[in-house]
Amino acid sequence: MKDEDKTLSVLNAQQARLLAQGRHPDPFAALGPTDDGKNVVVRLPGAEQLWLFNATDEVQLLADSTDPALFTGPALPYYRLRIRWASGQLEERDDPYRFGPVMGQLDEHLISEGEHQSLWNALGAHLLTHEKVAGVHFALWAPNAQRVSVVGEFNAWNGTAHPMRSRGATGVWELFLPGLDEGVVYKYEILGPDGTLMPLKADPVGFGSEHPPATGSVVRQLGAHQWQDQQWVARREEINSVDAPISIYEVHLGSWRRSGNESLNYLRLASQLVDYAADLGFTHIEVMPVSEHPFDGSWGYQPIGLFAPTIRYGTPQDFAAFVDAAHARGLGVIADWVPGHFPTDQHGLGRFDGTALYEHLDPREGFHPDWNTLIYNYGRPEVRNFLVANALYWLGEYHLDGLRVDAVASMINRDYSRAEGQWIANKDGGNENYEALDFLKQTNVASYGQHPGIAMIAEDSTAYPGVTRPVDAGGLGFGYKWNLGWMNDSLEYFGKDPVYRKHHHNQLTFGITYAFSENFLLPISHDEVVHGKGSMYSRMPGGHADKLGNLKAFYGYMWGYPGKKPLFMGQEFGQRSEWNYKGELDWGVLDDPGHAGVLALVRDLNRLYREQPALYRRDTQSDGFQWSARRRRGAPGLRLAAPRRAWRPPCGCRREPDPG
């Protein structure tokens, strides 16, 4: 009997051909030990000779003449592989196809229902020991794929080498690869439902990424950092309460300060940035998105690796150390979070398994015309689960104190930035995106429920009612909302020459008519100092001294106005130039006593703000504010009412005014 006949007596020609083509529908039915336990089938591209061995025995497998990568022979219990590669090198490793499944039935059930709130513990790439062997377990959701393989340097990026096990109706594919360790770069090779080979995809639940422009996912160990912030977490509910002084320093980590041409890494930021913000009296640092993103110029707002802290500034463990260091200095850390859209880069989520899986198929729902990005299908339970779990991941794994949800208006309005006829109405004929609204409610309920004391913040430019009202009271359940109306009116007013301001006082007073309808933040964010708008300094009228004086007056007005105080980096000392993400702040202007004076004022305002309860304790309620009459000319003035007693709702959520 010929060798190939012996091979085909174990594996028929059709199965062998499908394995070689990477199109076998169930590779675990063909590879590894046979059902009767008498034989083994191994496919190992690049191997020249192959032996099975254990503690007592060794046997050489025979190569199939039609597919030299395919070997068969008698089975041994608890076997390993000894491989002679074409280069002559010998290597020993375990056969991934002799291992049973890792994922359990509960994970399968929760994933299929779209209710797995710790989804990242089931999907992604996890270092673990399975059946007494160390390696990495890969798991991916791709329900419409014909085949999914893990590829990397460990298999020469050959998609036929490690096809994954299908978990059936769940749409999940999994594979345990023994011997792999942290730092391994990988992607997924996917055959679409029509047999089309997709571009290699990064892991949607990958915990690390290569440095851009490379796009591979990287195996990272979760939970490696030893947290020291237990006391901080225990008192976080008080720190983030609507009755607390909240002063936020918003930062783009890559351009705050540089060392030569390089951005500071997480560990240097953990000392320099944290010390700086703490010295100025801020209560929180808000970082622009740290999820991995392919293009620097998006500032992180077009992310692909939602579960991966960007490698631009260090490892995930380094980012955890940055958060821990902030907590040790009494600073909360808030991250911008982008669940509204994702870029079309071919290694990302678009047409992930050959179908519109994460996005809507119809571009009137699935494509964002402003940003040329794809929009999540919030009506698909698994997609909604992916995003809710991502919020919980950042709050849990990295101890973040809150998330600032980007572009809420674009999510909740189907006609956002769309001309007539370019959007699809909801089932009632309106423009509200019911599915997105439900997603936001679910995210907020889960976030506050699992992590009491955090703060969920909405960047919302609409008049949608009840954004910061609890979900059980008909609201969206956010803790805070950006007051963009106040920002626009105030900057227009202060941008006018003082001689004209007397005709525009309504821009200062109008905001009070709605100031207590939500729990507001007063945002002077990065959006106000880019795209030709100039800096806060340059937007003020007059010469140098006038600009600095106007800026000081504006900050005094802002810190005394009802609402929490976010300020973008550089504006605390009156940076002269518009923000440039490629550079660093204009630190040199602090040699000017006028700019140093602005910095000193912000420090003093933060101290005064924290020391005077009248400035913060009831600034989300109308009875914390009252109009007063000016002595001269009888014109109305405004002042903050002194608090009657401390009042703090649980979880930082808005509640009805205290009747006492």
Side-chain angles (χ1 to χ4, degrees):
M1 182 179 291
K2 296 180 180 180
D3 287 349
E4 60 265 28
D5 294 333
K6 293 179 182 179
T7 299
L8 296 179
S9 67
V10 176
L11 193 71
N12 65 48
Q14 173 69 3
Q15 289 178 310
R17 185 163 50 252
L18 290 173
L19 286 172
Q21 295 171 351
R23 294 179 182 274
H24 198 291
D26 186 5
F28 274 83
L31 297 175
T34 54
D35 290 341
D36 59 11
K38 295 181 179 179
N39 294 285
V40 168
V41 179
V42 176
R43 189 171 188 281
L44 204 58
E48 194 168 80
Q49 290 179 293
L50 188 64
W51 294 265
L52 258 60
F53 73 96
N54 60 19
T56 59
D57 297 294
E58 180 176 305
V59 61
Q60 185 171 1
L61 302 185
L62 300 177
D64 180 7
S65 61
T66 61
D67 178 7
L70 191 65
F71 299 82
T72 63
L76 294 176
Y78 307 108
Y79 69 86
R80 300 191 74 208
L81 304 175
R82 181 174 291 116
I83 309 155
R84 184 183 300 280
W85 297 104
S87 64
Q89 180 184 1
L90 281 173
E91 180 188 357
E92 294 180 0
R93 64 166 66 168
D94 286 282
D95 178 11
Y97 295 94
R98 77 169 177 83
F99 292 87
V102 174
M103 186 174 292
Q105 292 183 349
L106 179 59
D107 285 324
E108 288 187 279
H109 171 73
L110 293 174
I111 291 171
S112 64
E113 294 293 315
E115 296 293 340
H116 204 312
Q117 292 196 336
S118 58
L119 184 68
W120 67 94
N121 287 325
L123 301 182
H126 290 270
L127 292 155
L128 52 80
T129 298
H130 181 47
E131 298 177 10
K132 300 182 180 181
V133 176
V136 178
H137 175 244
F138 298 90
L140 176 77
W141 180 62
N144 302 301
Q146 282 191 12
R147 186 259 297 170
V148 180
S149 297
V150 187
V151 295
E153 291 291 343
F154 49 86
N155 61 17
W157 300 93
N158 187 333
T160 69
H162 289 127
M164 302 175 77
R165 171 189 276 119
S166 171
R167 300 307 297 262
T170 64
V172 172
W173 302 75
E174 69 166 348
L175 184 65
F176 173 70
L177 289 183
L180 296 189
D181 206 346
E182 185 168 13
V184 166
V185 178
Y186 69 98
K187 284 187 178 181
Y188 293 109
E189 183 180 278
I190 299 173
L191 281 183
D194 61 356
T196 299
L197 189 65
M198 304 298 298
L200 295 183
K201 295 289 187 177
D203 191 345
V205 191
F207 308 125
S209 295
E210 290 186 283
H211 199 290
T215 56
S217 298
V218 178
V219 175
R220 296 292 185 186
Q221 177 69 62
L222 288 181
H225 180 73
Q226 300 298 310
W227 291 92
Q228 306 296 320
D229 63 349
Q230 293 79 9
Q231 292 183 353
W232 168 269
V233 173
R235 56 187 289 262
R236 183 166 59 188
E237 186 170 348
E238 177 182 353
I239 294 165
N240 283 339
S241 167
V242 294
D243 274 344
I246 294 179
S247 180
I248 302 170
Y249 188 55
E250 185 194 8
V251 179
H252 177 261
L253 295 177
S255 58
W256 178 71
R257 190 188 294 274
R258 287 178 173 263
S259 177
N261 292 323
E262 299 293 327
S263 301
L264 300 186
N265 60 32
Y266 293 125
L267 297 181
R268 296 185 69 182
L269 290 163
S271 58
Q272 296 185 32
L273 172 59
V274 166
D275 288 349
Y276 179 80
D279 176 69
L280 287 177
F282 287 98
T283 63
H284 295 70
I285 295 172
E286 177 185 336
V287 293
M288 291 165 68
V290 292
S291 297
E292 195 58 80
H293 49 283
F295 176 48
D296 289 349
S298 78
W299 315 330
Y301 291 99
Q302 293 195 11
I304 282 184
L306 277 185
F307 288 80
T310 179
I311 194 63
R312 288 167 173 83
Y313 317 121
T315 66
Q317 291 87 344
D318 294 340
F319 178 67
F322 165 76
V323 176
D324 212 0
H327 290 169
R329 289 299 310 272
L331 289 166
V333 180
I334 298 165
D336 285 8
W337 184 52
V338 189
H341 64 137
F342 57 93
T344 59
D345 298 59
Q346 66 176 11
H347 69 285
L349 298 181
R351 306 290 296 185
F352 187 77
D353 63 357
T355 68
L357 186 64
Y358 285 88
E359 72 274 26
H360 287 276
L361 178 61
D362 192 322
R364 293 175 296 173
E365 294 183 286
F367 186 77
H368 202 297
D370 280 356
W371 304 313
N372 294 320
T373 51
L374 300 172
I375 300 171
Y376 289 103
N377 182 352
Y378 305 107
R380 177 168 284 161
E382 298 92 339
V383 174
R384 189 168 60 246
N385 186 181
F386 170 77
L387 293 170
V388 173
N390 185 245
L392 297 175
Y393 167 82
W394 288 105
L395 296 170
E397 293 291 338
Y398 292 102
H399 292 209
L400 293 181
D401 301 287
L403 299 173
R404 201 276 303 185
V405 183
D406 181 64
V408 169
S410 73
M411 298 168 64
I412 65 178
N413 293 293
R414 288 175 166 268
D415 60 346
Y416 184 88
S417 197
R418 295 181 186 273
E420 186 174 353
Q422 296 300 310
W423 58 281
I424 298 176
N426 60 35
K427 63 181 181 179
D428 297 317
N431 70 337
E432 291 182 344
N433 190 327
Y434 294 151
E435 295 80 10
L437 291 168
D438 288 343
F439 155 67
L440 291 171
K441 293 174 185 178
Q442 184 179 347
T443 300
N444 288 329
V445 168
S447 298
Y448 280 113
Q450 293 195 27
H451 302 284
I454 55 91
M456 298 296 288
I457 302 167
E459 184 209 3
D460 176 32
S461 58
T462 73
Y464 188 90
V467 171
T468 57
R469 189 181 304 139
V471 171
D472 58 9
L476 293 186
F478 283 96
Y480 295 98
K481 172 181 172 174
W482 274 18
N483 192 338
L484 293 169
W486 171 88
M487 179 273 298
N488 284 314
D489 286 348
S490 298
L491 291 185
E492 282 189 20
Y493 179 88
F494 275 87
K496 292 180 172 65
D497 190 293
V499 71
Y500 301 117
R501 288 177 182 171
K502 63 183 178 181
H503 304 295
H504 300 277
H505 290 330
N506 62 298
Q507 289 184 307
L508 296 187
T509 60
F510 175 68
I512 291 295
T513 64
Y514 61 85
F516 311 105
S517 61
E518 302 277 6
N519 301 337
F520 278 123
L521 303 178
L522 310 176
I524 301 301
S525 73
H526 64 277
D527 282 330
E528 312 321 315
V529 293
V530 290
H531 302 318
K533 297 177 183 177
S535 65
M536 287 290 291
Y537 168 89
S538 67
R539 293 173 73 151
M540 297 295 143
H544 176 61
D546 296 322
K547 289 179 182 293
L548 293 175
N550 273 280
L551 195 56
K552 290 179 179 179
F554 177 83
Y555 290 155
Y557 156 73
M558 175 179 172
W559 258 255
Y561 197 95
K564 311 307 181 185
K565 326 296 180 187
L567 189 67
F568 183 60
M569 65 180 197
Q571 309 318 309
E572 75 277 10
F573 57 75
Q575 171 156 312
R576 297 185 189 183
S577 61
E578 185 174 274
W579 171 55
N580 176 12
Y581 76 92
K582 297 179 180 179
E584 68 172 359
L585 298 184
D586 297 338
W587 296 105
V589 303
L590 286 171
D591 293 336
D592 182 319
H595 288 280
V598 174
L599 186 71
L601 174 68
V602 170
R603 181 187 289 110
D604 290 344
L605 287 172
N606 275 330
R607 184 182 67 250
L608 177 67
Y609 177 51
R610 297 172 79 158
E611 291 175 352
Q612 295 297 323
L615 292 173
Y616 61 80
R617 186 160 291 165
R618 303 181 72 84
D619 66 355
T620 63
Q621 298 176 50
S622 59
D623 62 354
F625 167 87
Q626 68 183 40
W627 290 104
S628 65
R630 292 178 59 189
R631 293 182 180 180
R632 297 171 61 184
R633 302 181 182 175
L638 56 84
R639 69 179 184 184
L640 297 171
R644 289 171 290 177
R645 64 179 178 85
W647 174 84
R648 181 169 57 256
C651 300
C653 304
R654 186 174 178 82
R655 294 291 186 267
E656 294 303 313
D658 176 18

